[in-house]
Amino acid sequence: MLLLAACGHKPDKDNASANVAEAATGQPLPDNGTSPAPAKPASFSIDSVPISTVPLGSFPYFSLPDGYKPMNPPETRDFGHFPFWTGTELHDVEGKLFMSFIDAKDGKTYSDYELKKNIEAVLKQAGAQQLTDSKIPGEVTDKLPEDVKVGMNTGLGDVYNNPTETWVIRRPDRQIWVHFVNGRNSASWTILETKPFVQSASLLPADALKQEIDKTGKAVVHVNFATDRTQILPDSQPQIDAITTLLKQSPDLKLAVNGYTDETGAVAHNQSLSEGRAKAVVTTLVSAGILPDRLKAKGFGATNPIAANDSEDGKAKNRRVELVKFQ
């Protein structure tokens, strides 16, 4: 100490106190921001999951154990998306969807433990790997989009109060994801098989649009949107540009932008989705310089189909935007 004083140095009381505290707790203490921040958990990679070749049946692959049933008719979507919790983040996956509430059959006492053991056993038998069995943090569930919180509530379940189990089966040609949320009195699950997006939009240039509208009073265009959302995908920009050109070349033309969906999903959800998509097209046209009073947006859900909804091709045709001339 005398030597330190003679050299003009004083003992570092903060460091001395920290050393005493560290010795007492056995744990290092924060050093006022001088240490590097903890590394961010790595994003999920499907490459980390081993490939399974266990024989499987047809989609949705899994049945409920004896004594349990869907609470309501399950919902199936030929193409959709779902945000799967990996334990550190939501991983959005696109493909064919199956969603259902799970309840006990009449005369059966619901056992969350029994259901959990059965679901886990059959998934392991199918070669599934569990990514997590944990509660999704509130700051993550708060940011879930409305189309998931409301439109997919059947398969989402009570993620706000119960842990979420996420499983994935990696096949050579696809993945099968399972989201399972088990409560004390009921459960929910979502099963998704990945499949590629098939573009349904085809470009109608401005002159073709004008000919069709002059002839029939309307024109059908297929604008690609993000799955189950109102966001217009970049590959549809040429079609939006063609509509813009038509309106600029015909300054007296006014168009109603009518949105339609296929019949997959709930009626109310499809209605809301079609309205949102029609409004998205109008907003984009206005931002390109078209006066708002020359446009109006309306959604019609799955009504007035132009093709049968019993095939992917028919459903693709029904997911459309109609431009209807009005005075």
Side-chain angles (χ1 to χ4, degrees):
M1 291 293 291
L2 289 174
L3 179 61
L4 287 171
C7 294
H9 295 289
K10 296 182 180 180
D12 189 336
K13 294 182 179 180
D14 290 338
N15 286 340
S17 299
N19 291 337
V20 171
E22 181 175 334
T25 61
Q27 297 292 330
L29 297 180
D31 59 353
N32 299 322
T34 58
S35 296
K40 183 179 179 180
S43 296
F44 169 77
S45 172
I46 191 62
D47 294 334
S48 64
V49 179
I51 293 177
S52 169
T53 57
V54 176
L56 296 174
S58 57
F59 185 84
Y61 303 114
F62 309 108
S63 61
L64 294 174
D66 291 341
Y68 294 88
K69 64 177 183 179
M71 188 180 298
N72 299 308
E75 183 178 346
T76 301
R77 300 182 184 180
D78 285 330
F79 192 79
H81 78 106
F82 194 86
F84 289 90
W85 175 240
T86 67
T88 58
E89 63 182 354
L90 292 175
H91 186 70
D92 205 65
V93 187
E94 293 183 339
K96 187 173 184 178
L97 277 169
F98 173 90
M99 298 179 289
S100 176
F101 285 120
I102 303 172
D103 194 9
K105 291 182 177 179
D106 294 341
K108 165 74 175 179
T109 301
Y110 184 91
S111 168
D112 56 343
Y113 182 75
E114 178 187 40
L115 181 61
K116 178 182 175 73
K117 294 287 287 186
N118 271 282
I119 295 296
E120 291 179 350
V122 73
L123 289 173
K124 290 177 181 177
Q125 184 180 357
Q129 178 168 312
Q130 188 180 60
L131 302 185
T132 188
D133 182 1
S134 61
K135 190 171 180 296
I136 305 177
E139 60 267 23
V140 177
T141 56
D142 287 345
K143 295 179 181 178
L144 284 171
E146 286 300 309
D147 71 295
V148 174
K149 288 193 290 187
V150 179
M152 300 182 180
N153 182 55
T154 299
L156 182 66
D158 188 6
V159 295
Y160 311 99
N161 297 298
N162 297 303
T164 294
E165 289 191 48
T166 302
W167 298 75
V168 64
I169 302 173
R170 183 186 175 196
R171 308 290 281 187
D173 59 341
R174 66 195 187 281
Q175 303 150 29
I176 300 162
W177 290 74
V178 179
H179 162 98
F180 176 62
V181 176
N182 195 11
R184 297 189 63 181
N185 300 303
S186 65
S188 289
W189 66 346
T190 292
I191 302 169
L192 183 147
E193 178 186 67
T194 58
K195 59 185 291 189
F197 171 70
V198 178
Q199 179 175 324
S200 61
S202 56
L203 177 63
L204 281 179
D207 56 349
L209 287 172
K210 187 176 188 308
Q211 290 177 7
E212 193 66 25
I213 291 173
D214 288 344
K215 180 180 178 180
T216 66
K218 69 177 182 180
V220 176
V221 294
H222 290 269
V223 179
N224 281 330
F225 296 88
T227 306
D228 217 30
R229 301 180 186 177
T230 61
Q231 177 190 354
I232 300 173
L233 295 178
D235 59 11
S236 287
Q237 189 59 47
Q239 184 65 85
I240 298 297
D241 291 342
I243 301 171
T244 304
T245 299
L246 167 67
L247 288 163
K248 288 183 176 180
Q249 290 177 348
S250 306
D252 295 330
L253 180 62
K254 296 182 179 181
L255 292 177
V257 180
N258 298 335
Y260 293 88
T261 68
D262 61 38
E263 67 177 9
T264 304
V267 173
H269 174 68
N270 287 338
Q271 177 63 32
S272 175
L273 182 62
S274 64
E275 289 177 359
R277 288 179 169 179
K279 290 178 180 177
V281 173
V282 168
T283 299
T284 303
L285 293 172
V286 170
S287 67
I290 306 302
L291 294 176
D293 60 2
R294 298 179 60 194
L295 302 164
K296 59 183 179 181
K298 190 171 182 180
F300 292 87
T303 62
N304 305 321
I306 59 175
N309 278 292
D310 58 0
S311 69
E312 284 302 309
D313 182 61
K315 290 181 179 181
K317 291 178 180 177
N318 290 328
R319 296 190 295 268
R320 69 196 189 277
V321 171
E322 290 188 358
L323 307 175
V324 181
K325 182 179 179 179
F326 75 92
Q327 300 298 324

